[in-house]
Amino acid sequence: MNKKKFSERDICSKFITPALQLAGWDITTQIREEFPLTKGRIIVRGKLHTRAQHKRADYVLFHKPNFPIAIIEVKDNNHSLGDGMQQALGYAELLQVPFVFSSNGDGFLFHNKIAADGVIERQLELEAFPSPETLWHWWAAHHGLNTHQQELVSQDYYSDGSNKTPRYYQLLAINKTIEAIVKGQQRILLVMATGTGKTYTAFQIIWRLWKSRSKKRILFLADRNILVDQTMTNDFKPFGSAMTKIQKRQANKAYEIYLSLYQAVTGAEEERNIYKQFSPDFFDLIIIDECHRGSAAADSAWREILEYFSSATQIGLTATPKETKDTSNIDYFGEPIYTYSLRQGIDDGFLAPYKVVRIDLDKDLTGWRPDKGMVDKLGNEIEDRIYNQSDFDRNLVLEQRTLMVAKKISDFLKATSRFDKTIVFCDNIDHAERMRQALVNENADLVAQNSKYVMRITGDNEEGKLELDNFIFPESRYPVIAVTSKLMTTGVDAQTCKLIVLDQRIQSMTEFKQIIGRGTRINEDFDKYYFTILDFKKATELFADPAFDGDPVQIYEPNGDASPVPPDELDGMPMEDEKTINGFAYPTDSDSPWIGEAGPDEIDGRVRRYVVANVTVNVVAERVQYFDANGNLITESLKDYTRNTLAKEFASLDDFLRRWNSTEKKQAIIDELSSQGILFEALADEVDKQSGKTFDPFDLLCHIAWDQPPLTRRERAEQVKKRHYFAKYGERAQAVLQALLDKYADEGVSAIEETQILTIAPFNKLGTPIELIRAFGGKAQYEQAVNELEQALYSA
């Protein structure tokens, strides 16, 4: 047996798995091979996207299902024992497991992060792999857990029978929370970006604590009805008859799992004691969803509930912990025991990246001052001062500005897809209604087909709120454009939202992150891989704040009447100057006491909002920027990005040619470069459009990176035919090679590299796959013939 000839998978099946079984590991419940950790960051170029390489561990070992304890990275026997260790340590850091192994089939290199004797790495024979009991004993001893605590920590997850494994960060959040509670921690904060499954995570935490009977009565608090209802019908459904929703201000004490709005248990002074119908020790676990929204404020009614049930373990869930002089999640709950940020979610490929289109309007930049004695549309004399962006749509309405914003939104949709779900965030309900009207007129043709194409969904409008579920539901076509102010900033699981419009001055990083979170969910069934932000009020300057943790893939500021759709080419475009906004004085609603969601036209004799109809508003600038596969800002064109990426990978054209010709399957190189952000389809569109011809990926790369004259696939195929390359083969083999050449000319190199091609036309007319392979003398000879055919194709 010559190990040197075995592939990595052979080493796994012949040596590693048997060694694990010999040590007592259960292959069905404790050993997971090729365990996926991430999905691979989505890389966006123009209207196209691809995924970077995902991370996958050769082996993850579990103490029990969903409780990872060790990582094994395997290399073939041409590598040394420890060649996989650094890769394995990277995976172990992601999963936060202490036991790490590397192997080439000869034995194991064992890295023990919690070694009691101080020897972190040691070599082991194949037969000496530690047993599950040994690793678990070491782990439990390191964490100081007694036998009872170990049982609680090991409590089973809920399973619906589908063997669904939570994502790695969900496992960490759940397991860390259970461990903290078992050790006696009473206040726990979990920070997880919007769209990463906070509610599912909460469900598994509650399920395991409830099933172990360490927590018997649980309260789940949220601040939106839709959040409670979605939770009950989706993630919390397995609780069944043990679960109830507190409503109609009645406290039924016959249940074990309670869900409630904060507002359902608090209210006006005389009725605020609804939660006091429960004894202070009735609940032993409280989960506070979206805890940034007020529960941590020392003087809030919500805080009163938490302090009343102070004996209960309390877990705060949020995507955006709030830290201000008045409100502090950390002050109340303590430092987060686990954080999974927007940036991590995008990097791992679990959250959608986004482009930003920044549109500056002239009056927003320069301000506007009325002529002396000028009256508005309603006959009110306008106060003589300079009005700027902080005034617009709050205490001064420039109607032409609203029309311009509506036109730019509609132009974007017309240039992309007019049925892409869109949320437009406005400053207040009055602004939202004016924007709805303007969008209706800009899209009169589609509104005539269905009046729900544009809907205002705000807290005061019952018709609009009834359409919220239809907007969220992916299969529902209408409404397409939802115009809102505050109602949709949190708790709206809009998986297919592809456009978010910011015509609202956002003064809070917490609110900004929540709004961005409306678009970060991915839905591959509906082709939702990324989304776009149209920013009219410089809200995206918050990207420059160190507190923001998820950079855009592209920022675009179009000029004048230019299309609002970001171009694929960015040649000569200046890099965005990052502006620090710390200390920038954003206006707040309290700066102007007559600004708000509703109210009279006048307050204390002052006009609430001037309305000016005839002031022209123009677009002065729009700009776009990309972020590369690593999240770094780039402003180069797709060609420049390709050229620079190849220069890092290959020292010269000769170096590239050597690698190309020596690689058995050319598609492997194409896939590797695609994972680094080179989009061959977009490159082909660009080069083919200029030349009117269709080129192979090989020619695209040589042409763009090293200025070689490209040949079309058809030209390469014809050159091979002219050389009488087939003469050394028999008649049937020649026919197969001729057909392969034609396939290459039509579809490219990847099509001819798979033997399955012999099952389709025209090959199936030449004989069965077995007969065709025999014409070459066998499978190895057939593969050699294909390899030589590729050499002939690319030698031109």
Side-chain angles (χ1 to χ4, degrees), residues 4 110 122 292 341 352 469 510 581 641 719:
K4 301 294 183 187
F110 176 28
R122 68 184 76 209
H292 64 278
S341 68
D469 282 347
T510 297
I581 63 164
Y641 181 74
Q719 286 195 5

Side-chain angles (χ1 to χ4, degrees), residues 393-646:
D393 300 307
R394 290 170 169 246
N395 54 3
L396 176 82
V397 173
L398 296 179
E399 290 189 335
Q400 292 298 316
R401 187 189 181 285
T402 306
L403 298 178
M404 176 59 74
V405 171
K407 180 179 185 305
K408 281 294 182 182
I409 296 169
S410 304
D411 286 350
F412 184 92
L413 290 172
K414 288 171 184 175
T416 51
S417 170
R418 296 184 74 185
F419 283 90
D420 282 350
K421 292 289 179 82
T422 300
I423 305 177
V424 183
F425 287 97
C426 298
D427 272 311
N428 46 58
I429 289 172
D430 173 75
H431 183 198
E433 174 55 25
R434 286 184 288 103
M435 186 62 69
R436 184 198 67 80
Q437 295 171 24
L439 286 166
V440 164
N441 291 330
E442 280 289 338
N443 298 276
D445 54 336
L446 295 181
V447 173
Q449 295 174 25
N450 191 312
S451 62
K452 293 180 180 177
Y453 179 79
V454 182
M455 290 292 293
R456 172 165 65 90
I457 301 179
T458 50
D460 70 321
N461 187 271
E462 290 303 319
E463 293 78 16
K465 286 194 287 186
L466 289 173
E467 292 300 322
L468 184 55
D469 282 347
N470 286 330
F471 181 81
I472 292 169
F473 192 51
E475 282 82 5
S476 177
R477 196 172 200 191
Y478 299 98
V480 176
I481 303 175
V483 188
T484 189
S485 57
K486 300 290 185 186
L487 184 65
M488 297 175 70
T489 54
T490 62
V492 178
D493 187 6
Q495 296 177 18
T496 55
C497 177
K498 292 186 180 181
L499 180 63
I500 289 177
V501 181
L502 303 178
D503 197 27
Q504 178 185 109
R505 281 191 70 81
I506 300 171
Q507 299 121 34
S508 148
M509 178 62 75
T510 297
E511 186 177 3
F512 179 61
K513 284 185 178 180
Q514 289 290 336
I515 288 174
I516 298 303
R518 299 313 99 213
T520 53
R521 288 173 174 84
I522 294 169
N523 189 316
E524 297 185 5
D525 293 338
F526 287 84
D527 197 36
K528 160 68 185 302
Y529 292 91
Y530 66 92
F531 65 104
T532 303
I533 300 170
L534 273 181
D535 179 17
F536 291 91
K537 289 194 173 175
K538 292 190 175 183
T540 53
E541 286 187 342
L542 286 164
F543 289 141
D545 193 310
F548 191 74
D549 59 7
D551 300 322
V553 296
Q554 188 180 20
I555 301 175
Y556 171 48
E557 295 187 5
N559 294 313
D561 294 328
S563 167
V565 181
D568 296 341
E569 279 285 334
L570 300 170
D571 287 319
M573 190 165 289
M575 181 172 285
E576 171 82 1
D577 286 326
E578 286 199 357
K579 301 175 184 175
T580 177
I581 63 164
N582 287 342
F584 187 90
Y586 285 103
T588 62
D589 285 350
S590 60
D591 292 336
S592 302
W594 63 93
I595 297 170
E597 289 288 328
D601 289 338
E602 293 189 7
I603 294 179
D604 296 332
R606 301 174 69 183
V607 177
R608 179 169 175 266
R609 189 177 287 121
Y610 299 111
V611 181
V612 182
N614 53 2
V615 173
T616 304
V617 177
N618 296 304
V619 173
V620 293
E622 301 183 30
R623 191 181 315 171
V624 72
Q625 290 176 340
Y626 283 100
F627 284 73
D628 66 14
N630 298 316
N632 299 316
L633 187 65
I634 59 171
T635 56
E636 60 204 347
S637 70
L638 190 55
K639 285 183 181 179
D640 287 340
Y641 181 74
T642 302
R643 194 176 295 119
N644 292 336
T645 301
L646 288 170

Side-chain angles (χ1 to χ4, degrees), residues 310-321:
S310 60
S311 64
T313 300
Q314 297 174 5
I315 303 172
L317 302 177
T318 182
T320 50

Side-chain angles (χ1 to χ4, degrees), residues 30 45 49 89 107 276 280 314 327 345 352 361 399 457 504 539-540 554 642 659 694 743 751-752 763 780:
Q30 294 181 304
R45 292 288 177 274
H49 69 273
L89 287 169
K276 292 184 179 177
Q314 297 174 5
T327 303
L361 305 178
E399 290 189 335
I457 301 179
Q504 178 185 109
T540 53
Q554 188 180 20
T642 302
R659 172 88 173 276
T694 302
K743 274 289 181 187
I752 69 174
F763 301 95

